[in-house]
Amino acid sequence: MNMQNHQLADSSLGGHLRASIGLTIIALGLCGFVYSAAAASLGQILFPEKASGSLIFEKNQLIGSRLVAQPFTHIQYFHPRPSASKYDPMSMAGSNMARTNPELHKVIDERLSKISEQEQIEKTKIPADLVTASGSGIDPEISVQSAMIQVKRVAHARHISEQAVEKLVQVHTVHPTFGILGQARVNVLELNLALDLAGR
């Protein structure tokens, strides 16, 4: 009787094990492969540019991505947000320093002093996004206010009118989604490319 019970238990255990393995394989196939392939294919069909990384090409040469900030530092270009990851998409991250961290205060104060001197404005008028890094470290956009305080410098460096530069800022301003989500912002790479094109 005991032997019979053991055989039944072993048979039942084997059945459960086979069912578990079978379910795992099916779930892995459907969720890990079929769903991923279908979602990627649908993205390529509906949003081909975004699904490919929102890449920007000029004369068949890759310039960059609309989703990734670049370290513009020359005076004739608009500057992006600071980056704790040195604008590297492979190590994107924030500084992870708390607001009470003395080192963070020191870094921000240094950035404020540099921007104040460079843009010829008071420190109190400098937007926070120009002196603090984003969580990703590769945020491609800045606030409209951050772009506007750079207009005078860029216009002077390029020997064009401030009005012409302001117009480009306005043209490349992205307004809040549905009018309420997020804030008005400017893609730095697109704006700088537009400046280069306008100067040709």
Side-chain angles (χ1 to χ4, degrees), residues 39-111:
S41 299
L42 191 61
Q44 288 286 352
I45 294 171
L46 297 177
F47 312 102
E49 182 188 4
K50 292 183 178 180
S52 298
S54 298
L55 303 178
I56 299 176
F57 290 89
E58 186 176 345
K59 296 180 180 179
N60 295 322
Q61 182 179 357
L62 178 62
I63 303 298
S65 168
R66 291 179 177 84
L67 306 176
V68 180
Q70 294 187 17
F72 291 100
T73 56
H74 198 282
I75 59 172
Q76 68 178 7
Y77 287 113
F78 283 87
H79 298 168
R81 292 188 69 165
S83 172
S85 63
K86 298 181 180 179
Y87 304 97
D88 182 2
M90 301 305 293
S91 61
M92 48 191 286
S95 66
N96 293 328
M97 289 191 287
R99 291 187 177 185
T100 55
N101 191 318
E103 185 63 28
L104 178 62
H105 287 273
K106 179 183 176 182
V107 170
I108 289 177
D109 192 54
E110 288 174 353
R111 290 171 180 165

Side-chain angles (χ1 to χ4, degrees), residues 8-191:
L8 287 172
D10 289 343
S11 176
S12 177
L13 181 62
H16 287 309
L17 187 60
R18 284 194 296 274
S20 298
I21 293 173
L23 182 60
T24 299
I25 292 173
I26 293 172
L28 181 63
L30 289 176
C31 300
F33 298 104
V34 176
Y35 173 78
S36 299
S41 299
L42 191 61
Q44 288 286 352
I45 294 171
L46 297 177
F47 312 102
E49 182 188 4
K50 292 183 178 180
S52 298
S54 298
L55 303 178
I56 299 176
F57 290 89
E58 186 176 345
K59 296 180 180 179
N60 295 322
Q61 182 179 357
L62 178 62
I63 303 298
S65 168
R66 291 179 177 84
L67 306 176
V68 180
Q70 294 187 17
F72 291 100
T73 56
H74 198 282
I75 59 172
Q76 68 178 7
Y77 287 113
F78 283 87
H79 298 168
R81 292 188 69 165
S83 172
S85 63
K86 298 181 180 179
Y87 304 97
D88 182 2
M90 301 305 293
S91 61
M92 48 191 286
S95 66
N96 293 328
M97 289 191 287
R99 291 187 177 185
T100 55
N101 191 318
E103 185 63 28
L104 178 62
H105 287 273
K106 179 183 176 182
V107 170
I108 289 177
D109 192 54
E110 288 174 353
R111 290 171 180 165
L112 284 170
S113 297
K114 181 180 178 181
I115 294 173
S116 176
E117 181 180 355
Q118 185 173 256
E119 309 299 347
Q120 296 297 299
I121 61 172
E122 297 177 9
K123 291 182 180 181
T124 55
K125 294 182 179 180
I126 299 173
D129 59 305
L130 277 186
V131 294
T132 56
S134 66
S136 68
I138 58 170
D139 191 342
E141 298 166 330
I142 57 175
S143 64
V144 176
Q145 185 183 2
S146 291
M148 292 304 291
I149 69 169
Q150 300 183 62
V151 165
K152 184 176 181 179
R153 166 179 53 80
V154 172
H156 185 266
R158 289 177 176 266
H159 306 290
I160 57 179
S161 69
E162 292 182 31
Q163 289 75 17
V165 178
E166 285 181 8
K167 186 175 180 180
L168 281 175
V169 171
Q170 293 169 0
V171 168
H172 288 83
T173 295
V174 178
H175 297 286
T177 307
F178 305 122
I180 55 173
L181 300 177
Q183 65 173 355
R185 56 204 181 275
V186 181
N187 187 291
V188 178
L189 176 57
E190 290 184 330
L191 178 57

